[in-house]
Amino acid sequence: MGDTSAQREGRGGKRKARNRRHNPDGTMSLVEHIYEFRRRLGYALLALVAGGIIGFLWFGHSIGPIPTLGDLVTEPYCAIPQEQRYPKGGDCQLLQTVPFEAFMIQMKVGLSAGAVLLSPLWLYQLWAFIAPGLYSKERKYAMTFVGIASLLFTGGALLAYFMAPHALEILTTFGAGEFATWFTGDKYISFVLSLLLIFGVSFELPLLIIMLNRVGVVRYETLKRWRRGIIMIMFVFAAFVTPADPFSMIGLAGALCILFEVSLQITRFHDRRLDRKRGVEGWDELADDEPAPFEYTPSTVDDDDADGRRRGGTDDIT
């Protein structure tokens, strides 16, 4: 009985140590950090496993008006004209060449889809582990970054999905009619997932440029001078990472060019506003060895926490 109550008090003390209300400065010992990391990692893995189970079941069962995951994955292949795929005029099916290949494909696709569906859960665990060491302004910028990055990745993956049928149709026209297309399940799934990943990651380019501009690494004038070279590099990059068809290469390169131009204009407005501020405060008139005419007192965690309370809220991430 005593041991049970002591264990409860111990668990309660650990929860209080992780709670910002009871631990305003968010300090932890090295062992507590390790325990916290283990706990968050365990929750994240549970979310991935749960997502994998949902994706595995979704592969063969539709959810209301939503088609099965298997139909969504094979849709680009089934969009190829029947005379260009094997068996001609038959059902749209992938080829299984080794035992359990279909099971492994279903598991791979289910885990990938589940990781995307339940990404808010496991990303929150990562965020909850990092957030106690950040100020409120840093947490705001981090959440904005994660949100925009997720939208860009999703946009790139959707573009790749809608372009995949056209890319496959072009690729299957080679061979002067001497070949019939019948993809093995493993090769086809790897092709589709790789295409989604490549397009999704490539769409993070404007966010990277804006971040580098915000921290002062690169300015609009520099990017403007490098514009032609950057566009050429994007076309070369698209030619290497996409399948050997001009449709997907031009689609990826064109999308990257549009995103690059958008990010370029954002850096332009940011630098113009920053230069205007520097002119008003007289920073450009200072000598190289003259200190800047402003006073800055670094804020503390206590001040940051007090600001949060004055705004009428608490910062309890657990």
Side-chain angles (χ1 to χ4, degrees):
M1 191 70 158
D3 295 339
T4 303
S5 60
Q7 291 176 357
R8 291 178 179 175
E9 292 178 359
R11 288 194 295 268
K14 291 180 181 179
R15 284 194 295 269
K16 289 183 179 180
R18 294 188 295 264
N19 194 310
R20 184 57 76 93
R21 287 197 298 265
H22 297 89
N23 187 12
D25 57 359
T27 57
M28 289 185 185
S29 65
L30 177 60
V31 175
E32 289 174 337
H33 273 294
I34 294 175
Y35 284 145
E36 177 71 2
F37 175 75
R38 185 184 65 178
R39 187 172 71 94
R40 296 297 180 184
L41 179 61
Y43 289 157
L45 291 177
L46 286 176
L48 291 175
V49 171
I53 295 174
I54 295 174
F56 187 87
L57 297 175
W58 181 22
F59 191 93
H61 301 82
S62 60
I63 304 176
I66 302 176
T68 65
L69 185 59
D71 291 338
L72 292 175
V73 173
T74 58
E75 178 62 28
Y77 171 67
C78 296
I80 301 175
Q82 291 187 357
E83 61 272 11
Q84 295 180 216
R85 55 180 169 83
Y86 189 83
K88 296 182 179 180
D91 295 333
C92 178
Q93 294 178 321
L94 298 173
L95 180 64
Q96 180 178 212
T97 57
V98 295
F100 300 107
E101 182 177 2
F103 175 80
M104 296 304 299
I105 290 173
Q106 185 172 348
M107 181 178 294
K108 180 192 297 186
V109 176
L111 285 173
S112 301
V116 174
L117 288 174
L118 298 188
S119 57
L121 297 181
W122 58 266
L123 284 176
Y124 170 77
Q125 299 304 322
L126 176 63
W127 170 250
F129 178 74
I130 299 175
L134 302 177
Y135 293 112
S136 60
K137 182 180 294 185
E138 295 171 335
R139 289 196 293 271
K140 180 184 68 175
Y141 285 137
M143 290 297 292
T144 303
F145 169 79
V146 172
I148 296 176
S150 301
L151 291 176
L152 288 173
F153 184 90
T154 303
L158 288 176
L159 177 62
Y161 181 79
F162 290 116
M163 289 181 59
H166 304 283
L168 290 173
E169 184 175 354
I170 294 175
L171 292 174
T172 54
T173 58
F174 295 100
E178 300 297 330
F179 299 92
T181 302
W182 197 357
F183 294 126
T184 62
D186 182 62
K187 298 294 184 182
Y188 171 78
I189 295 299
S190 299
F191 167 80
V192 173
L193 293 181
S194 300
L195 199 63
L196 298 179
L197 181 63
I198 289 171
F199 272 69
V201 173
S202 299
F203 268 49
E204 306 296 337
L205 172 66
L207 189 60
L208 176 63
I209 293 176
I210 294 174
M211 287 179 57
L212 293 176
N213 175 255
R214 291 283 178 175
V215 299
V217 175
V218 64
R219 288 180 55 84
Y220 166 74
E221 290 79 7
T222 304
L223 293 172
K224 185 179 179 180
R225 290 197 304 268
W226 293 351
R227 175 184 285 167
R228 293 183 179 179
I230 293 175
I231 291 177
M232 184 188 70
I233 291 174
M234 287 190 293
F235 271 90
V236 173
F237 170 78
F240 272 99
V241 301
T242 55
D245 71 285
F247 191 86
S248 57
M249 183 200 75
I250 295 175
L252 177 59
L256 290 179
C257 289
I258 295 174
L259 291 174
F260 172 72
E261 288 296 330
V262 172
S263 61
L264 192 64
Q265 296 307 315
I266 293 176
T267 59
R268 176 185 179 184
F269 290 121
H270 174 261
D271 289 348
R272 182 180 297 177
R273 182 169 56 86
L274 184 62
D275 292 341
R276 190 182 304 114
K277 181 179 179 181
R278 291 173 63 91
V280 171
E281 298 184 1
W283 293 2
D284 294 332
E285 300 176 359
L286 299 175
D288 294 338
D289 57 348
E290 187 177 354
F294 65 89
E295 296 181 359
Y296 173 69
T297 303
S299 61
T300 63
V301 176
D302 295 334
D303 295 336
D304 183 72
D305 186 66
D307 292 339
R309 287 196 297 270
R310 281 196 295 269
R311 288 193 297 267
T314 60
D315 189 20
D316 181 13
I317 63 164
T318 55

